[in-house]
Amino acid sequence: MSVLSRLIWCRTYRYLTLLFLLLTCTLVQAHEASTAYLNLTKDDSEGASEVRYDAEYELSLRDLALLINIDPNQDQQVSWAEIKSQTPLIQQLMTSKVTLESAAQACQIASFEPLAINTRGGFNYLHINFKLNCEQPIDRLDYQILAGIDANHRLILTQPNEGMPLQVLAVGQNPLGSEAASDSISTATNFLKSGVHHLLIGWDHLLFLFVLLIPAVYVRKQKQLVAVSKPKAALLEVFWIATSFTLAHSITLSLAALQIVSIPASFIESVIALSIAFAALNNLVPLLRVRAIYLAFFFGLIHGFGFANVLVDLPLATSARVLALLSFNIGIELGQLVFIALVFPIALLLRHTQFYKYVIFYIGSLISILVALWWFFERAF
């Protein structure tokens, strides 16, 4: 190799290593994807000159803590008294960050009911009930909760007596009512997009796929890693890994989303973190003499429960839930294919280099273990 070639490779290694470390920092600091819920029910009381709504909004306490100081004494223990003491700030937050409109006129919040706490998927949620007065039926929502803080935050909106489908909305302005599609196609499209989004911003799921994919371009011969000579062998291995993971998480996603099996989300998220650490450790020290496809299937069963958290508590009829489940699952597969299409060609191209072997495979697996253990202790304790 010429001096110029070595210089180019050294600089390439340096830049890719820096990029890898920056990505790792992002993984460690990433805020978990969050979901809030808003349920609007029209008040059909006779004699009212305005259109009235009863609104129920739910936001997880971990998200609320990003917006309001709910632990003023800094003892790392949030009590009901501390949350209740912040009632004026919480009401102000709702008034300023959640604007429902009718015919370009903002609806007015008539009154708030006392705050409450409930549980969804093992996490504590603040439950806020309030009443709205609107000139006409609601047709637009300007939702700014966590704007500029968590771009991955989503709102699940239901309008049970409006004949509208359940909608998954992002932060910002969203059309409702007659401006939004109101059939099964809309439901399928909403949850397909949500599935893609959920996979691509799910750092734990992506990291798990990463530690399964990076050994696919190697075979072990006499305890040594040897790059595959033909891309076809690696491509076939990736195909079986993806298929195994898909089959496994589809099973548990369906069981959980259809409310056949229920496991606390906090427990599942902790186990998902451990699954990443184990898979990465198995790259460095083969603890189990099994192919990655078996690890993908076994741990994919656990990840499926994690995917299902988005669907478990949705107020859907059985037919709508099945459609949402199918669409969401297809979305996850599309997101998975996008990730594989980005990662695998790079692995295939660099498989013969020392950079891939030592930086991507060895150091990448080691960092994945550390990140996964950080997640585990953060989620479990």
Side-chain angles (χ1 to χ4, degrees), residues 206-227:
L206 292 180
L207 190 58
F208 179 70
L209 286 173
F210 172 77
V211 298
L212 289 180
L213 290 176
I214 55 175
V217 294
Y218 286 135
V219 292
R220 290 188 182 272
K221 293 183 178 179
Q222 298 179 347
K223 298 183 180 181
Q224 298 294 320
L225 291 175
V226 179

Side-chain angles (χ1 to χ4, degrees), residues 71 73-78 82:
D71 185 22
N73 61 8
Q74 303 297 316
D75 64 351
Q76 306 300 316
Q77 298 291 329
V78 178
E82 288 176 319

Side-chain angles (χ1 to χ4, degrees), residues 284-306:
L284 302 177
V285 185
L287 303 173
L288 297 177
R289 297 289 181 176
V290 296
R291 293 174 60 188
I293 59 173
Y294 300 114
L295 290 179
F297 183 84
F298 178 76
F299 290 126
L301 293 172
I302 299 169
H303 284 246
F305 286 110

Side-chain angles (χ1 to χ4, degrees), residues 170-234:
V171 173
Q173 295 191 0
N174 299 275
L176 309 177
S178 60
E179 296 184 37
S182 58
D183 52 16
S184 58
I185 295 178
S186 174
T187 300
T189 302
N190 270 327
F191 281 95
L192 187 143
K193 292 179 180 178
S194 183
V196 174
H197 176 267
H198 189 75
L199 190 283
L200 293 181
I201 57 91
W203 292 108
D204 47 2
H205 304 301
L206 292 180
L207 190 58
F208 179 70
L209 286 173
F210 172 77
V211 298
L212 289 180
L213 290 176
I214 55 175
V217 294
Y218 286 135
V219 292
R220 290 188 182 272
K221 293 183 178 179
Q222 298 179 347
K223 298 183 180 181
Q224 298 294 320
L225 291 175
V226 179
V228 295
S229 57
K230 297 181 179 180
K232 182 179 178 180

Side-chain angles (χ1 to χ4, degrees), residues 229-242:
S229 57
K230 297 181 179 180
K232 182 179 178 180
L235 183 61
L236 190 61
E237 179 73 3
V238 168
F239 170 79
W240 286 116
I241 289 173

Side-chain angles (χ1 to χ4, degrees), residues 24 35 75 97 108-109 141 149 162 173 230 234 279 285 290 296 306 315-316 328-329 332 336-337 377:
T24 302
T35 304
D75 64 351
K97 299 294 185 180
Q108 300 299 315
I109 296 180
L141 166 64
I149 298 175
E162 293 284 343
Q173 295 191 0
K230 297 181 179 180
V285 185
V290 296
L316 293 172
F328 187 75
N329 203 33
I332 288 175
Q336 179 177 295
L337 289 175
F377 286 107

